[in-house]
Amino acid sequence: MVKEQGFEPAYLALHRSDELRERVKAAFQHLQACTLCGRACDVNRTGRPTAETGACHTGDRARVASYGPHFGEEDPLRGYRGSGTVFFSWCNLSCQYCQNYDISQRGRGRDVEPEELASMMLSLQEQGCHNINLVSPTHVVPPILAAVLIAAEAGLRVPLVWNTGGYDSLEALEMLDGVVDIYMPDMKYADGAVGRKYSKVENYPQVNQTAVKEMHRQVGDLVTDGRGIAQRGLLVRHLVLPEGLAGTGEIASFLADKISDDTYINIMDQYRPCYQAGELPPLDRRITREEYRAAVEQAREAGLHRFDRRESRLFRSL
């Protein structure tokens, strides 16, 4: 789907109406009994240094591991000038095979105030990035909204990408409605028991599917400009796991039947054993050519047809 002219990031309209400022206030109040993700820890994350922290180990400030232009993202995001990624430390999931476990599970990075986070966003825009790509942002909605407000006042004009593990609550997504332009959730598992074992969360499929429905309601199918650069919409990531543990066929059927058969999806082949995966067979090995082939075929059979254009890096002959 292509849209040529007249695009404006969603958050600018909220900024002009002053609704964005009200969202920031509401978001920080939400931290007094936090339910930003499916864990619903209900802890009071406000107050320094006495803030409580739930599973995400985070108070009222965002911790950033790194930021910069990224050329390894999906085609509509990276374009030809890169996606402006901001990698947040800690996570609301506890994936036992996380490739970035030093960031997500050990918290490598440093705490920043919203003003500094806004400066990062503006710097990425100045470097020519096509978007601001917020990686693992679910647990830090309030400081992100505060930073977007500051950055919008200073001239931020590129789309916002919500690059999430997909375990977002409806309360969090309500605060993001009209702020986020592009939702990019993972859909990790179709089976709750698998999510419990490998990401240490309850009811992942139910929380995930409810969140994806709401994301699509807000932004619709992915829309690109004449250059193929994403402007608005839903883009789903799905990592193929050994022995079909991710449930590709069920997830693809959900997307085609309950969301849209025009859903843009990246079926990812890059699983490799990391973190605790060596102790959790069959996650102690890479996927095979046959497993990846089967996953792609299941998605096609379900009716999906908008795949990331890059060939599989491991299995280029498929």
PDB file of all heavy atoms in Angstrom, residues 155-174:
ATOM      1  N   GLY A 155      11.057  20.334  16.799  1.00  0.00           N
ATOM      2  CA  GLY A 155      11.109  20.102  15.376  1.00  0.00           C
ATOM      3  C   GLY A 155      11.148  18.661  14.913  1.00  0.00           C
ATOM      4  O   GLY A 155      11.422  18.405  13.734  1.00  0.00           O
ATOM      5  N   LEU A 156      10.860  17.694  15.780  1.00  0.00           N
ATOM      6  CA  LEU A 156      10.826  16.301  15.339  1.00  0.00           C
ATOM      7  C   LEU A 156       9.688  16.115  14.341  1.00  0.00           C
ATOM      8  O   LEU A 156       8.551  16.539  14.603  1.00  0.00           O
ATOM      9  CB  LEU A 156      10.633  15.367  16.538  1.00  0.00           C
ATOM     10  CG  LEU A 156      10.780  13.867  16.238  1.00  0.00           C
ATOM     11  CD1 LEU A 156      12.225  13.531  15.872  1.00  0.00           C
ATOM     12  CD2 LEU A 156      10.328  13.035  17.432  1.00  0.00           C
ATOM     13  N   ARG A 157       9.970  15.451  13.209  1.00  0.00           N
ATOM     14  CA  ARG A 157       8.976  15.337  12.137  1.00  0.00           C
ATOM     15  C   ARG A 157       8.983  13.977  11.451  1.00  0.00           C
ATOM     16  O   ARG A 157       8.391  13.839  10.384  1.00  0.00           O
ATOM     17  CB  ARG A 157       9.203  16.428  11.077  1.00  0.00           C
ATOM     18  CG  ARG A 157       9.004  17.857  11.575  1.00  0.00           C
ATOM     19  CD  ARG A 157       7.548  18.116  11.942  1.00  0.00           C
ATOM     20  NE  ARG A 157       7.306  19.489  12.358  1.00  0.00           N
ATOM     21  CZ  ARG A 157       7.409  19.949  13.609  1.00  0.00           C
ATOM     22  NH1 ARG A 157       7.810  19.114  14.576  1.00  0.00           N
ATOM     23  NH2 ARG A 157       7.146  21.203  13.898  1.00  0.00           N
ATOM     24  N   VAL A 158       9.645  12.974  12.017  1.00  0.00           N
ATOM     25  CA  VAL A 158       9.688  11.659  11.374  1.00  0.00           C
ATOM     26  C   VAL A 158       8.805  10.678  12.144  1.00  0.00           C
ATOM     27  O   VAL A 158       8.493  10.896  13.319  1.00  0.00           O
ATOM     28  CB  VAL A 158      11.138  11.124  11.293  1.00  0.00           C
ATOM     29  CG1 VAL A 158      11.967  11.987  10.352  1.00  0.00           C
ATOM     30  CG2 VAL A 158      11.781  11.035  12.664  1.00  0.00           C
ATOM     31  N   PRO A 159       8.366   9.601  11.492  1.00  0.00           N
ATOM     32  CA  PRO A 159       7.475   8.637  12.147  1.00  0.00           C
ATOM     33  C   PRO A 159       8.121   7.966  13.358  1.00  0.00           C
ATOM     34  O   PRO A 159       9.341   7.787  13.415  1.00  0.00           O
ATOM     35  CB  PRO A 159       7.190   7.606  11.052  1.00  0.00           C
ATOM     36  CG  PRO A 159       7.519   8.278   9.776  1.00  0.00           C
ATOM     37  CD  PRO A 159       8.615   9.245  10.083  1.00  0.00           C
ATOM     38  N   LEU A 160       7.273   7.569  14.300  1.00  0.00           N
ATOM     39  CA  LEU A 160       7.703   6.801  15.466  1.00  0.00           C
ATOM     40  C   LEU A 160       7.366   5.333  15.262  1.00  0.00           C
ATOM     41  O   LEU A 160       6.237   4.990  14.906  1.00  0.00           O
ATOM     42  CB  LEU A 160       7.000   7.288  16.727  1.00  0.00           C
ATOM     43  CG  LEU A 160       7.322   8.689  17.236  1.00  0.00           C
ATOM     44  CD1 LEU A 160       6.545   8.947  18.524  1.00  0.00           C
ATOM     45  CD2 LEU A 160       8.816   8.875  17.467  1.00  0.00           C
ATOM     46  N   VAL A 161       8.350   4.470  15.515  1.00  0.00           N
ATOM     47  CA  VAL A 161       8.176   3.017  15.417  1.00  0.00           C
ATOM     48  C   VAL A 161       8.185   2.426  16.820  1.00  0.00           C
ATOM     49  O   VAL A 161       9.129   2.647  17.588  1.00  0.00           O
ATOM     50  CB  VAL A 161       9.300   2.379  14.578  1.00  0.00           C
ATOM     51  CG1 VAL A 161       9.085   0.869  14.467  1.00  0.00           C
ATOM     52  CG2 VAL A 161       9.388   3.021  13.202  1.00  0.00           C
ATOM     53  N   TRP A 162       7.156   1.667  17.157  1.00  0.00           N
ATOM     54  CA  TRP A 162       7.063   0.995  18.465  1.00  0.00           C
ATOM     55  C   TRP A 162       7.484  -0.454  18.268  1.00  0.00           C
ATOM     56  O   TRP A 162       6.717  -1.304  17.849  1.00  0.00           O
ATOM     57  CB  TRP A 162       5.634   1.082  18.995  1.00  0.00           C
ATOM     58  CG  TRP A 162       5.495   0.827  20.454  1.00  0.00           C
ATOM     59  CD1 TRP A 162       5.004  -0.295  21.060  1.00  0.00           C
ATOM     60  CD2 TRP A 162       5.824   1.730  21.518  1.00  0.00           C
ATOM     61  NE1 TRP A 162       5.014  -0.154  22.428  1.00  0.00           N
ATOM     62  CE2 TRP A 162       5.511   1.089  22.738  1.00  0.00           C
ATOM     63  CE3 TRP A 162       6.371   3.011  21.558  1.00  0.00           C
ATOM     64  CZ2 TRP A 162       5.718   1.692  23.976  1.00  0.00           C
ATOM     65  CZ3 TRP A 162       6.570   3.614  22.789  1.00  0.00           C
ATOM     66  CH2 TRP A 162       6.250   2.955  23.983  1.00  0.00           C
ATOM     67  N   ASN A 163       8.753  -0.743  18.548  1.00  0.00           N
ATOM     68  CA  ASN A 163       9.405  -2.016  18.263  1.00  0.00           C
ATOM     69  C   ASN A 163       9.387  -2.844  19.549  1.00  0.00           C
ATOM     70  O   ASN A 163      10.275  -2.746  20.390  1.00  0.00           O
ATOM     71  CB  ASN A 163      10.829  -1.732  17.783  1.00  0.00           C
ATOM     72  CG  ASN A 163      11.594  -2.965  17.364  1.00  0.00           C
ATOM     73  OD1 ASN A 163      11.228  -4.078  17.686  1.00  0.00           O
ATOM     74  ND2 ASN A 163      12.699  -2.745  16.666  1.00  0.00           N
ATOM     75  N   THR A 164       8.378  -3.684  19.705  1.00  0.00           N
ATOM     76  CA  THR A 164       8.055  -4.279  20.993  1.00  0.00           C
ATOM     77  C   THR A 164       8.019  -5.800  20.958  1.00  0.00           C
ATOM     78  O   THR A 164       7.775  -6.404  19.917  1.00  0.00           O
ATOM     79  CB  THR A 164       6.682  -3.751  21.476  1.00  0.00           C
ATOM     80  OG1 THR A 164       6.220  -4.510  22.598  1.00  0.00           O
ATOM     81  CG2 THR A 164       5.630  -3.871  20.381  1.00  0.00           C
ATOM     82  N   GLY A 165       8.240  -6.401  22.119  1.00  0.00           N
ATOM     83  CA  GLY A 165       8.109  -7.840  22.261  1.00  0.00           C
ATOM     84  C   GLY A 165       6.689  -8.327  22.179  1.00  0.00           C
ATOM     85  O   GLY A 165       6.438  -9.541  22.201  1.00  0.00           O
ATOM     86  N   GLY A 166       5.723  -7.395  22.110  1.00  0.00           N
ATOM     87  CA  GLY A 166       4.341  -7.770  21.888  1.00  0.00           C
ATOM     88  C   GLY A 166       3.552  -8.132  23.129  1.00  0.00           C
ATOM     89  O   GLY A 166       2.432  -8.636  23.021  1.00  0.00           O
ATOM     90  N   TYR A 167       4.110  -7.828  24.311  1.00  0.00           N
ATOM     91  CA  TYR A 167       3.418  -8.133  25.570  1.00  0.00           C
ATOM     92  C   TYR A 167       2.943  -6.834  26.203  1.00  0.00           C
ATOM     93  O   TYR A 167       3.119  -6.588  27.379  1.00  0.00           O
ATOM     94  CB  TYR A 167       4.375  -8.894  26.493  1.00  0.00           C
ATOM     95  CG  TYR A 167       3.718  -9.686  27.599  1.00  0.00           C
ATOM     96  CD1 TYR A 167       2.808 -10.708  27.324  1.00  0.00           C
ATOM     97  CD2 TYR A 167       4.035  -9.446  28.921  1.00  0.00           C
ATOM     98  CE1 TYR A 167       2.236 -11.445  28.341  1.00  0.00           C
ATOM     99  CE2 TYR A 167       3.473 -10.174  29.954  1.00  0.00           C
ATOM    100  CZ  TYR A 167       2.569 -11.177  29.664  1.00  0.00           C
ATOM    101  OH  TYR A 167       2.005 -11.917  30.676  1.00  0.00           O
ATOM    102  N   ASP A 168       2.325  -5.985  25.376  1.00  0.00           N
ATOM    103  CA  ASP A 168       1.865  -4.665  25.801  1.00  0.00           C
ATOM    104  C   ASP A 168       0.427  -4.741  26.310  1.00  0.00           C
ATOM    105  O   ASP A 168      -0.399  -5.492  25.774  1.00  0.00           O
ATOM    106  CB  ASP A 168       1.909  -3.685  24.630  1.00  0.00           C
ATOM    107  CG  ASP A 168       3.251  -3.646  23.935  1.00  0.00           C
ATOM    108  OD1 ASP A 168       3.614  -4.646  23.268  1.00  0.00           O
ATOM    109  OD2 ASP A 168       3.936  -2.627  24.038  1.00  0.00           O
ATOM    110  N   SER A 169       0.101  -3.929  27.308  1.00  0.00           N
ATOM    111  CA  SER A 169      -1.255  -3.898  27.829  1.00  0.00           C
ATOM    112  C   SER A 169      -2.112  -2.914  27.036  1.00  0.00           C
ATOM    113  O   SER A 169      -1.605  -1.993  26.378  1.00  0.00           O
ATOM    114  CB  SER A 169      -1.257  -3.478  29.302  1.00  0.00           C
ATOM    115  OG  SER A 169      -0.923  -2.109  29.441  1.00  0.00           O
ATOM    116  N   LEU A 170      -3.423  -3.092  27.114  1.00  0.00           N
ATOM    117  CA  LEU A 170      -4.332  -2.145  26.467  1.00  0.00           C
ATOM    118  C   LEU A 170      -4.218  -0.762  27.097  1.00  0.00           C
ATOM    119  O   LEU A 170      -4.390   0.254  26.413  1.00  0.00           O
ATOM    120  CB  LEU A 170      -5.769  -2.656  26.559  1.00  0.00           C
ATOM    121  CG  LEU A 170      -6.111  -3.844  25.660  1.00  0.00           C
ATOM    122  CD1 LEU A 170      -7.556  -4.278  25.883  1.00  0.00           C
ATOM    123  CD2 LEU A 170      -5.880  -3.516  24.190  1.00  0.00           C
ATOM    124  N   GLU A 171      -3.908  -0.709  28.393  1.00  0.00           N
ATOM    125  CA  GLU A 171      -3.732   0.595  29.048  1.00  0.00           C
ATOM    126  C   GLU A 171      -2.566   1.356  28.434  1.00  0.00           C
ATOM    127  O   GLU A 171      -2.658   2.565  28.191  1.00  0.00           O
ATOM    128  CB  GLU A 171      -3.502   0.411  30.549  1.00  0.00           C
ATOM    129  CG  GLU A 171      -4.706  -0.098  31.320  1.00  0.00           C
ATOM    130  CD  GLU A 171      -4.758  -1.625  31.403  1.00  0.00           C
ATOM    131  OE1 GLU A 171      -4.113  -2.287  30.564  1.00  0.00           O
ATOM    132  OE2 GLU A 171      -5.458  -2.132  32.291  1.00  0.00           O
ATOM    133  N   ALA A 172      -1.483   0.657  28.164  1.00  0.00           N
ATOM    134  CA  ALA A 172      -0.335   1.304  27.533  1.00  0.00           C
ATOM    135  C   ALA A 172      -0.674   1.745  26.118  1.00  0.00           C
ATOM    136  O   ALA A 172      -0.359   2.875  25.705  1.00  0.00           O
ATOM    137  CB  ALA A 172       0.858   0.361  27.525  1.00  0.00           C
ATOM    138  N   LEU A 173      -1.332   0.892  25.362  1.00  0.00           N
ATOM    139  CA  LEU A 173      -1.646   1.210  23.973  1.00  0.00           C
ATOM    140  C   LEU A 173      -2.639   2.358  23.871  1.00  0.00           C
ATOM    141  O   LEU A 173      -2.592   3.143  22.913  1.00  0.00           O
ATOM    142  CB  LEU A 173      -2.183  -0.031  23.258  1.00  0.00           C
ATOM    143  CG  LEU A 173      -1.173  -1.171  23.123  1.00  0.00           C
ATOM    144  CD1 LEU A 173      -1.841  -2.408  22.537  1.00  0.00           C
ATOM    145  CD2 LEU A 173       0.018  -0.752  22.275  1.00  0.00           C
ATOM    146  N   GLU A 174      -3.523   2.487  24.838  1.00  0.00           N
ATOM    147  CA  GLU A 174      -4.450   3.626  24.846  1.00  0.00           C
ATOM    148  C   GLU A 174      -3.689   4.943  24.930  1.00  0.00           C
ATOM    149  O   GLU A 174      -4.043   5.924  24.266  1.00  0.00           O
ATOM    150  CB  GLU A 174      -5.420   3.503  26.021  1.00  0.00           C
ATOM    151  CG  GLU A 174      -6.436   4.626  26.095  1.00  0.00           C
ATOM    152  CD  GLU A 174      -7.391   4.475  27.270  1.00  0.00           C
ATOM    153  OE1 GLU A 174      -7.317   3.444  27.973  1.00  0.00           O
ATOM    154  OE2 GLU A 174      -8.214   5.387  27.486  1.00  0.00           O
TER     155      GLU A 174
END
